[in-house]
């Protein structure tokens, strides 16, 4: 078995499901890699399918588990669980970034840890699972992966609006208001931003393709640290 096959076998073990090797390879292929390799197929169609499977699985679970929540509350929780930041967190938990096939430009700008790429690839894997193992297996996998998010209501607000959530928890802990510093790097057509947020003795960083994304990533990390203290 080749090294790539071993690594992908380890990935499917973490997912808890068998995925057809060709579909798995497709799910892990970002459009930047496809473009640099002669326009081969990439994962965006699988991402489209996975997004629907994810949304349905989360919607049904929330509807059945929380009968006392109204439509607005259910919608807020669902939005948090299926958000880019939440899916990227799930992806990092299974080490997905090291498996994504990216073009050279994306590799050089840290694409393996970009929230958007991780979240999109996560959805593509869900789509590949649906086609390989069927709807029941895909739904079961989704619920295994997002269950920790669904079990922690505080994370919904943090995932959707980490800067506000960080400000709120800082006030609750009698800490100074968060302050942000952002640096940009890379050419104009492919800028990469790194944000540093400071809240008392907590200093965290985040990256993104925009200043807003970088600040949100840094804020979410800081929120997690403070939430653990609280």
């Amino acid at each position: 078995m080749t090294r790539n096959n071993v690594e992908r076998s380890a990935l499917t073990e973490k997912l808890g499901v068998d995925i057809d090797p060709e579909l798995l390879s497709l799910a892990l292929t970002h459009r930047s890699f496809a473009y640099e390799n002669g326009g081969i197929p990439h994962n965006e169609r699988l991402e489209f399918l996975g997004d629907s499977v994810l949304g349905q699985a989360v919607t049904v679970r929330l509807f059945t588990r929380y009968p006392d929540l109204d439509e607005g509350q259910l919608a807020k929780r669902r939005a948090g669980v299926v958000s880019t930041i939440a899916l990227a967190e799930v992806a990092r938990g299974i080490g997905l970034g090291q498996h994504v096939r990216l073009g050279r430009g994306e590799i050089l700008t840290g694409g393996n840890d970009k929230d958007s790429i991780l979240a999109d690839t996560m959805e593509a894997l869900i789509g590949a699972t649906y086609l390989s193992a069927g709807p029941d297996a895909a739904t079961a996998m989704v619920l295994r992966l997002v269950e920790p998010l669904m079990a922690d209501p505080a994370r919904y607000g943090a995932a959707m609006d980490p800067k506000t959530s960080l400000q709120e928890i800082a006030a609750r802990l009698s800490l100074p208001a968060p302050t942000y510093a952002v640096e940009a790097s890379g050419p104009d057509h492919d800028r990469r931003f790194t944000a540093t947020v400071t809240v008392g003795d907590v200093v965290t960083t985040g990256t993104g393709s925009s200043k807003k994304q970088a600040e949100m990533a840094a804020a979410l990390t800081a929120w997690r640290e403070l939430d653990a203290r609280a």
Side-chain angles (χ1 to χ4, degrees):
M1 183 179 291
T2 67
R3 179 180 176 181
N4 283 344
N5 287 338
V6 170
E7 291 177 347
R8 291 180 182 180
S9 177
L11 175 62
T12 56
E13 284 183 15
K14 291 178 182 178
L15 293 172
V17 66
D18 289 327
I19 302 177
D20 175 82
E22 290 188 7
L23 283 173
L24 177 59
S25 180
L26 180 60
L28 297 173
T29 302
H30 187 258
R31 66 176 178 270
S32 62
F33 182 92
Y35 176 78
E36 291 184 8
N37 287 270
I40 63 175
H42 51 75
N43 63 9
E44 289 184 1
R45 280 177 55 84
L46 285 176
E47 175 195 335
F48 172 78
L49 174 61
D51 177 66
S52 294
V53 175
L54 169 69
Q56 182 180 36
V58 171
T59 298
V60 173
R61 174 56 63 92
L62 288 173
F63 182 86
T64 56
R65 175 169 289 182
Y66 302 102
D68 296 330
L69 296 183
D70 61 29
E71 179 187 4
Q73 292 171 313
L74 289 171
K76 182 178 179 180
R77 292 199 176 201
R78 179 180 60 191
V81 175
V82 304
S83 69
T84 295
I85 292 177
L87 287 179
E89 180 180 341
V90 170
R92 291 188 182 97
I94 61 173
L96 180 58
Q98 64 182 306
H99 301 286
V100 184
R101 299 202 294 174
L102 297 170
R104 290 185 297 274
E106 285 291 355
I107 292 173
L108 292 174
T109 57
N112 292 89
D113 195 47
K114 285 183 181 178
D115 285 351
S116 58
I117 290 177
L118 290 175
D120 291 347
T121 306
M122 197 70 243
E123 290 179 337
L125 282 174
I126 295 169
T129 301
Y130 181 94
L131 295 178
S132 295
D136 291 342
T139 296
M141 184 189 76
V142 166
L143 295 178
R144 281 196 304 273
L145 293 172
V146 305
E147 202 70 43
L149 297 177
M150 297 175 71
D152 186 359
R155 278 198 192 180
Y156 296 115
M160 291 300 293
D161 190 355
K163 293 182 69 173
T164 298
S165 296
L166 178 60
Q167 187 171 344
E168 290 173 349
I169 198 171
R172 194 162 74 244
L173 295 175
S174 300
L175 295 173
T179 58
Y180 295 85
V182 181
E183 296 181 353
S185 60
D188 290 341
H189 69 276
D190 192 15
R191 298 292 271 174
R192 187 74 175 161
F193 295 84
T194 299
T196 301
V197 61
T198 303
V199 190
D201 63 343
V202 173
V203 181
T204 62
T205 61
T207 60
S209 57
S210 68
K211 177 182 176 182
K212 180 180 178 180
Q213 282 187 354
E215 288 182 341
M216 288 174 64
L220 184 60
T221 302
W223 177 87
R224 290 187 191 122
E225 289 195 25
L226 293 180
D227 183 62
R229 294 184 187 183

